[in-house]
Amino acid sequence: MISLVKPYIAPAEEMMPAIQNILYSGYIAESEPVWDFEKQFGLFIDNKNTIVVNSGTAALHISLSILDIGPGDEVISTPMTSEPTNTTIALTGAKVVWGDVDPNTGLLDPRSVEEKINENTKAIMLVHYAGMVCDMNEFNMISKKYGIPIIEDAAHALGSRYKGKIIASNSRFTCFSFQAIKQMTTVDGGAIGFKNEDDVAVAKKLRWFGLDKSVSRMNNDITRAGYKYGMNNVTATIGQIQLKHTPEVLNKYIENGKYYDDKLKSVAGIHLVPYYEDTQPSYWLYTMKVENREDFCKMMEEKGIAASPLHHRSDTHSVFEESRCDLPNMDEWYSRFVHIPCGWWVGNEEREYIIDTIRKGW
């Protein structure tokens, strides 16, 4: 079976000595290896205002916490995402308000978002789903017009670009995930890229109980309670090794994605996703719409190729019952979208087989 997702792990001869050295160094919690990885990742995404944390969920929660979002507040978000995007909002006590999606892309529709803004709206949560980038030209205008900050959930979008620049510093917060199956994994972990340097110091305290790590613990004074969201040295060491291979791995995703864009554009029953102006996807999942999706997925499985919608729409969960509303575009999109294998493990022979299989019909 050609897998839909698969973690890339650097060669053992690089990874294992580094892990062994850190495990027996006497320093396995947060210290220099974490801070070094933080700097290296910041250079990779071209944003010096970057911190690393223990998960993408922690990155989202810290961002919401900096904005002091809580009960009585509203955050406009998308149902087309993995669960943590919206359960993290629920953790704050704020209400999730669903924006509808663009039925052509599955990404949050700025027109729907603008219609739902009111005096309780404290943030807009965007998701660059599957590595496709939202219509940031429109969302930037909305954010400026209403003075509402944007949190970009870029868990799927490492290497995606807006106006030629890697996604990381356009909005006040850009949150990344290094969870197991992402383009770059540290087994688990995450990061936040900040637009405002002032937010970095606040975030560093929030990730470690409210303590200031630049000051002796004996001289610390917690003024606001924080969380245990720090990364450890073992995870950071894995990250440093993985990051050396990330450009090559990302290029393989992008190369395969562009190949599919070209070879599938005239296939009957396939509707390709258009990409917004000034955006470039990183193709974490190759996403398209198909006619008769159930038959398509069954045919692909029979031919040894994984194909699936993968994600369950968030607005159907009971925890969001008070937020439910009509989302006709989401209904249309959700009934037809599907993913096919696109990652580093898909070589030329595999991708040609996938294209040939689809062209034969279902």
Side-chain angles (χ1 to χ4, degrees), residues 70-75 86 89-98 116 120 314-327:
D73 295 332
E74 296 182 357
V75 177
N86 295 308
I89 298 170
L91 281 176
T92 69
K95 179 183 178 181
V96 176
V97 174
W98 302 118
K116 300 196 175 188
N120 297 318
S314 287
D315 59 323
T316 61
H317 289 294
S318 297
V319 70
F320 302 121
E321 186 173 0
E322 70 164 328
S323 298
R324 286 179 184 163
C325 62
D326 290 332
L327 299 171

Side-chain angles (χ1 to χ4, degrees), residues 119-134:
E119 66 275 9
N120 297 318
T121 307
K122 296 300 186 292
I124 298 168
M125 181 77 80
L126 303 181
V127 176
H128 300 309
Y129 181 79
M132 302 179 291
V133 180
C134 293

Side-chain angles (χ1 to χ4, degrees), residues 34-50:
V34 172
W35 307 328
D36 288 343
F37 175 54
E38 197 165 68
K39 291 175 185 175
Q40 291 166 16
F41 185 71
L43 287 172
F44 179 77
I45 61 173
D46 193 23
N47 186 353
K48 67 178 182 178
N49 299 319
T50 296

Side-chain angles (χ1 to χ4, degrees), residues 150-163:
I150 288 175
I151 300 171
E152 296 184 40
D153 183 339
H156 295 183
L158 182 62
S160 299
R161 293 179 179 272
Y162 171 58
K163 290 191 173 180

Side-chain angles (χ1 to χ4, degrees), residues 162-302:
Y162 171 58
K163 290 191 173 180
K165 183 176 173 61
I166 198 165
I167 293 290
S169 57
N170 171 73
S171 299
R172 186 168 173 182
F173 309 97
T174 305
C175 299
F176 298 92
S177 171
F178 309 139
Q179 182 262 349
I181 58 175
K182 299 302 191 295
Q183 295 108 316
M184 187 188 80
T185 180
T186 61
V187 181
D188 211 346
I192 314 172
F194 300 93
K195 189 171 186 177
N196 303 329
E197 186 176 0
D198 291 346
D199 287 331
V200 177
V202 180
K204 285 182 175 180
K205 286 185 178 182
L206 285 173
R207 75 174 171 184
W208 197 247
F209 308 119
L211 292 167
D212 183 349
K213 281 231 167 190
S214 67
V215 177
S216 163
R217 198 156 188 163
M218 300 303 294
N219 296 320
N220 251 288
D221 176 37
I222 295 175
T223 58
R224 177 180 178 180
Y227 316 102
K228 193 178 186 297
Y229 284 165
M231 183 176 278
N232 64 70
N233 286 350
V234 180
T235 301
T237 298
I238 293 172
Q240 290 185 53
I241 303 298
Q242 292 285 84
L243 194 55
K244 295 176 183 178
H245 298 269
T246 297
E248 180 183 355
V249 172
L250 283 174
N251 284 340
K252 189 61 180 176
Y253 280 90
I254 293 169
E255 179 187 329
N256 285 337
K258 289 182 176 180
Y259 178 86
Y260 289 149
D261 284 342
D262 179 56
K263 300 300 182 181
L264 291 171
K265 60 187 175 185
S266 59
V267 177
I270 298 292
H271 303 271
L272 298 185
V273 173
Y275 308 121
Y276 294 115
E277 184 181 0
D278 295 324
T279 73
Q280 296 170 264
S282 61
Y283 299 97
W284 178 57
L285 297 164
Y286 190 80
T287 310
M288 58 191 185
K289 294 166 71 176
V290 298
E291 304 293 338
N292 305 312
R293 184 177 65 191
E294 186 175 343
D295 292 342
F296 176 85
C297 291
K298 182 179 179 181
M299 178 277 294
M300 295 286 275
E301 184 176 359
E302 289 172 351

Side-chain angles (χ1 to χ4, degrees), residues 259-260 263-264 351-359:
Y259 178 86
Y260 289 149
K263 300 300 182 181
L264 291 171
R351 72 186 190 184
E352 288 173 13
Y353 173 66
I354 290 169
I355 293 295
D356 289 341
T357 299
I358 294 173
R359 282 176 172 164

Side-chain angles (χ1 to χ4, degrees), residues 333-352:
W333 165 263
Y334 193 72
S335 67
R336 298 173 64 191
F337 87 99
V338 71
H339 306 299
I340 59 174
C342 186
W344 61 269
W345 61 97
V346 180
N348 293 347
E349 183 177 339
E350 287 84 3
R351 72 186 190 184
E352 288 173 13

